[in-house]
Amino acid sequence: MNMQSKPLLIVRNLSCYYGSTRGCEDISLDLRTGEVLGIVGESGSGKTTLLKAISAQLEPDSGTVHYRDRRNDSIDIYEISEPERRFLMRTDWGFVHQNPRDGLRMSVSAGANVGERLMAVGWRHYGDIRDEAIGWLERVEVDGDRIDNLPRTFSGGMQQRLQIARNLVSRPRLTFMDEPTGGLDVSVQARLLDLIRNLVGDLGLAAIVVTHDLAVARLLAHRLVVMKDGRIVETGLTDQVLDDPQHPYTQLLVSSILQT
Amino acid sequence: MSPPSKPSFDTAYNFAYLDEQTKRMIRRAILKAVATPGYQVPFASREMPMPYGWGTGGIQVTASVIGPDDVLKVIDQGSDDTTNAVSIRKFFVRTTGVETTEQTETATLIQTRHRIPETPLREGQILIYQVPIPEPLRFLEPRELETRRMHALEDYGLMHVKLYEDISRFGHIATTYAYPVRVDGRYVTDPSPTPKFDNPKMDNMPALQLFGAGREKRIYAIPPYTEVKSLDFDDHPFELPEWDTTCALCGADDTFLDEVILDDAGERMFVCSDTDYCARRRAPEAAE
């Protein structure tokens, strides 16, 4: 992690409203290469709205999002043209949905799911696409023999891992994850978290992880942002925020976890 | 212009059934389609006196471009004498009085359901296809808004996902009809349910190719001498289907063959799907 370099992502004064309802308000944050930022907060605190606004899926009412691309140019993700934005979203970025069905193409095989990004950027050699897909399936601990199976024949945990492989195949520099372990049982959650943590470390990936589960945040995130009612109430290093919370809401959040 | 003393068609209807304003509207859509090869132009498709699925799109296109001097040929799966072909031919005879033919080279307009004649087409001819589903991405991406955006942005990776699926399931590209093509290096286009055997004929064809989809309300075109490339993979190139037999009637070994079941015992024969081509190979003199 190179802390001297310029941030990969710079968010400034971002606000989103749904009519008169506040989605998120006046959010500013930086993310550096290889850094994992956790966004925590209760349901309805604006976590997902913020993630959508940062990941070019929901145009904010005010504020800017700047991304430093592979040529080291800073680009405003809402100023670039739609083809450029689409290209960015499926090469340099990944998006892992809470429900794998939202992120997968359920009617085509696992191999086609993993290969889609490759074909979208011009891969035209079936054998190469397939080899790459098998490599990625095994990397996320899915048996390569399952490459021709439909995702619906996979278990929930496997679907989630398939979704991760589908995103990482283009070797993104930044991944957005919305509750990546939501809806999985505890043992599967633990394995998935382990996998994500290793992949992020191996690939030098930057990630923004939205979660309401503080245990997930503690395992994955280097830094934490705590949100309440659409605003950031506290930020800091993960251990610092969780072990010595300053804001009353964070204190409430931390104290509400069952202590083992 | 002096009106003909006795019109040769049923004057209860306007010439070619559609009213002149409708024909102008369709011609404008055709012009736009020709100017942007492979792009699906929306048009205000009319109710026709036959059900959707019987070629209402092709008929509207034909009705808009047909003139009294045209010679019309109508084929259905390559055949001049099946129900669809016969009824559409009768429709135009009744509403326009034009001359009809079964000979590919004599015709100026050819309306087809699915096949391209085996006889090469020439400049000045127009081939009109009846199209059920004009959108090649439809079964991969059901949202029309999204497919239009994908066309606009040349975002065609998904088309190869379909071909990938074919190979992973069947070991080869198993799509045999409606095989996606890229027109003029730009738009990915569905060549109607035409067998992929005919795809190479579309490439650099001297004749104008027009496509009409009545229910879906789309017109698209491939102008003469336009590059039409079938999509494929480097290690699984586009291949033509092959038969291990020749036409049982005329012996041709380079045509698209139909399988005809002869009895309940499984007897069958393979014959040319292009009846005009086959008949004249058998009796060159008798056909004319």
Side-chain angles (χ1 to χ4, degrees), chain B residues 185-235:
Chain B
R186 176 62 181 85
Y187 286 99
V188 166
T189 302
D190 188 339
S192 110
T194 303
K196 75 173 174 185
F197 181 84
D198 287 338
N199 275 16
K201 295 184 191 151
M202 296 183 154
D203 184 30
N204 276 300
M205 185 192 276
L208 169 65
Q209 302 172 72
L210 300 176
F211 300 76
R215 174 174 44 210
E216 302 284 327
K217 303 178 170 50
R218 295 287 184 277
I219 285 172
Y220 51 106
I222 301 174
Y225 301 110
T226 302
E227 185 197 59
V228 177
K229 199 176 172 312
S230 304
L231 301 182
D232 58 5
F233 284 102
D234 296 342
D235 49 344

Side-chain angles (χ1 to χ4, degrees), chain B residues 162-180 196 236-237 239 241:
Chain B
K162 177 181 153 55
L163 301 181
Y164 173 96
E165 275 296 278
D166 263 8
I167 302 173
S168 73
R169 277 187 209 175
F170 306 108
H172 60 102
I173 299 178
T175 304
T176 53
Y177 65 95
Y179 191 103
K196 75 173 174 185
H236 285 269
E239 280 171 353

